[in-house]
Structures are given as C-alpha cells and as structure tokens.
Amino acid sequence: MEFMSAEKQIGGLPVVTGADWPGVSYFCTTRAGGVGAAPHDTLNLGLRADDRPEAVAENRRRVRAAVPGEPLWLRQVHGAGVVDADAPSEPVEPPADASVTIRPGRVLAIMVADCLPVVMSDAHGSVLGVAHAGWRGLAGGVIENTLRAMRAKQPAAHGWRAWVGPGIGPAAFEVGEDVLQAFAPDGPDALALFSPRPERPGKWLADLPALARLRLQRAGVAQPALSGLCTVSDADRFFSYRRDRITGRMALLAWLEAR
C-alpha cells in the first residue's frame, strides 16, 4: 500500500499534501494557523461546528488568501451526490458530497474531521474532482459518481490518479454490523479489511482508507495514494469528531492550474 504525505506552508498555513501532479494543486489544512479557541483551536472552517461565526469567517478568509479563487463550499450530507462546479447558477453551499471542474482556478473544497477527503484528476490535469468519503458516502458510491462526472466532462481523459487525505485510521475506526453489511456487496477483498474484536462481540475495526483505495482501483484509478495520516491519533495536527465530539473541521482544497 502506497503512503504519500508531505508537510508544507501555503499562504502562511501549515498544510499536508501528496505527490505533485501536472496541472493540479491540492492540500489539506490542519488545525493550526487560525484564530479559534478550544475546542475549535485554531483553524476551524466549519460553519456548523458550534464555533463563533466571526472566528470561522476569519479562518475562511485566511484560506481564501492562500488559493486562487473563492472555494466552492458544500453542505455535506454524507451522501453520494456530485455538483458540477462549472454550472452557471450553482447555489451557495449546495447539498452534496463531491464536486468536479474543468475550469482552471475553480477551487473545490471538502470539509472533514475523520471522514476521508479524496482528490482525483487525470494524468494531464484537465479535469478535477473532490469527494467527502465517510463510510456512508463511500459505500453509497460517492467515488464512483465523482469519477463518472469527471469522465462525462472530459471524455478523452485518462491516467487517473487519486490522493486520500487525513482521516480516521484503521486502529481507531470501530464499527458495528451496519457498516460491515454496507460493504458486504464489495466482496471478500472488502470484508478482509474488517478485523473482528473478540473482546467486543459485534464490533470490528475497519480500514476506511483501504476501503477507499479498493473502490478507487475498481473505478479505474490504478495506484491511489493514501496519506497514512490518522485524524484520531494525531490530536496536535487534526480535528477529530470521533475523538472529541465538539471540534472543528479541516478542509481539502484543490484546483486546476492555468495552462
């Protein structure tokens, strides 16, 4: 399994990212670099995380200053819906969990605090997609739907690549029968990514990043890269809803570069 992550400073913000891709820029924020107070310290970007609105506004202003355009923020619903970010009349914060673009400088955004942020592009950086992949969205097809929308926008695109950013790791994601059954249709390869917990009957540890990797490969991404970063175990760098309940949100930001 390929792990790829690097720490950088972008626009004065400490961020993590993956490998360099032709024609694409992308990064995931951390909890550092903002103005929020505990338990939202400091760069909370979530409007619905019980933080002070003025703090979130300032944090979003700082992120906006680090990217080439206003991000398309989504009202994420743990589903599999995909928004065309190039549509002329897209509402503010559309209810969806993924977005796609072929327009250079159009900034896509996904907020997370344990769910997986996934960025996808083709070999030449001609089309871009991002997805919010919690277990419900992942099992519901958010990755496949995003790639389908990308192929529709750029039929000649090929050489698909993906980076799965920081999220809940396999040692922290305890799940019940409902999550196991949600991935049962994916067959033995998926079920092998669930480890039973003998001391807790009816509970498993699930490897969500590896499940995303499996879905990406089956959808045509030959070698998806995983960050290998766990939001639950790294409290210094990342917000985690499962760990803290009341907490902030990081964001994955991605855009196509001008040609």
Side-chain angles (χ1 to χ4, degrees), residues 47-212:
L47 289 173
R48 300 172 183 86
D50 298 321
D51 197 1
R52 295 178 299 119
E54 60 272 22
V56 179
E58 171 59 20
N59 289 340
R60 288 194 173 194
R61 186 199 66 75
R62 294 184 183 197
V63 167
R64 169 62 186 88
V67 298
E70 184 64 35
L72 175 61
W73 301 103
L74 306 176
R75 182 164 61 82
Q76 296 165 193
V77 295
H78 294 277
V82 183
V83 167
D84 184 348
D86 303 330
S89 57
E90 194 55 58
V92 175
E93 284 200 308
D97 286 86
S99 58
V100 297
T101 184
I102 58 172
R103 199 171 85 204
R106 183 60 165 130
V107 181
L108 308 182
I110 291 293
M111 283 189 297
V112 288
D114 286 336
C115 294
L116 302 173
V118 184
V119 58
M120 295 159 272
S121 185
D122 64 306
H124 300 292
S126 67
V127 60
L128 179 69
V130 297
H132 165 241
W135 73 264
R136 288 182 179 85
L138 192 59
V142 71
I143 281 175
E144 294 84 350
N145 290 354
T146 306
L147 283 163
R148 190 176 301 116
M150 294 166 69
R151 290 182 171 111
K153 287 181 74 68
Q154 204 71 289
H158 64 278
W160 298 102
R161 61 188 73 210
W163 182 70
V164 180
I168 191 167
F173 192 33
E174 184 180 86
V175 302
E177 181 77 21
D178 55 340
V179 180
L180 181 74
Q181 290 305 317
F183 289 95
D186 288 2
D189 288 345
L191 293 181
L193 300 173
F194 290 79
S195 303
R197 307 204 72 187
E199 73 281 10
R200 288 175 59 78
K203 298 293 184 181
W204 290 261
L205 288 175
D207 192 337
L208 194 65
L211 287 164

